[in-house]
Amino acid sequence: MLLCVCFAVCILVYSFTYVWQIKISGNMQISNAELIQYLEEQEIIAGKKRTTIDCTQIEYLLRQKFHSLSWVSVYMDHTSLCSCYFLCYQN
């Protein structure tokens, strides 16, 4: 019984070392599918180890690819990579 509990705790702790979900919010102009596709091209996907993800680099990549973005914030929350951004409309 104790062995099962220890094993379950180890699995739980190990699972927190990976990003299991990518959330995008604040999106009004660029489709979520387009953003997810771009992140996948950059190998930023669910199931990736948290220590290999550089949030500052992702923010930079998104601003370089999507010039209409005026502000991007990427952060990790538990087992999710959250990408929240606001758009600047260009005339």
Side-chain angles (χ1 to χ4, degrees):
M1 176 78 170
L2 182 59
L3 182 62
C4 291
V5 171
C6 288
F7 182 72
V9 168
C10 288
I11 293 292
L12 183 63
V13 169
Y14 182 74
S15 71
F16 280 109
T17 64
Y18 290 87
V19 171
W20 294 113
Q21 183 179 22
I22 297 175
K23 297 178 185 177
I24 298 174
S25 63
N27 186 20
M28 293 195 275
Q29 194 173 24
I30 303 167
S31 73
N32 285 359
E34 186 177 0
L35 289 166
I36 293 293
Q37 180 181 358
Y38 177 71
L39 291 173
E40 287 174 352
E41 290 169 6
Q42 302 305 311
E43 298 182 1
I44 302 164
I45 56 173
K48 189 165 181 136
K49 200 161 178 91
R50 291 172 64 93
T51 57
T52 64
I53 294 177
D54 181 352
C55 293
T56 304
Q57 178 67 17
I58 296 169
E59 291 170 357
Y60 175 79
L61 291 171
L62 287 170
R63 281 193 301 270
Q64 292 300 309
K65 173 69 175 176
F66 302 101
H67 298 288
S68 61
L69 293 176
S70 61
W71 181 78
V72 179
S73 176
V74 176
Y75 61 94
M76 285 189 241
D77 180 24
H78 304 295
T79 57
S80 296
L81 176 67
C82 301
S83 175
C84 299
Y85 56 91
F86 298 91
L87 304 177
C88 176
Y89 296 101
Q90 297 177 345
N91 294 329

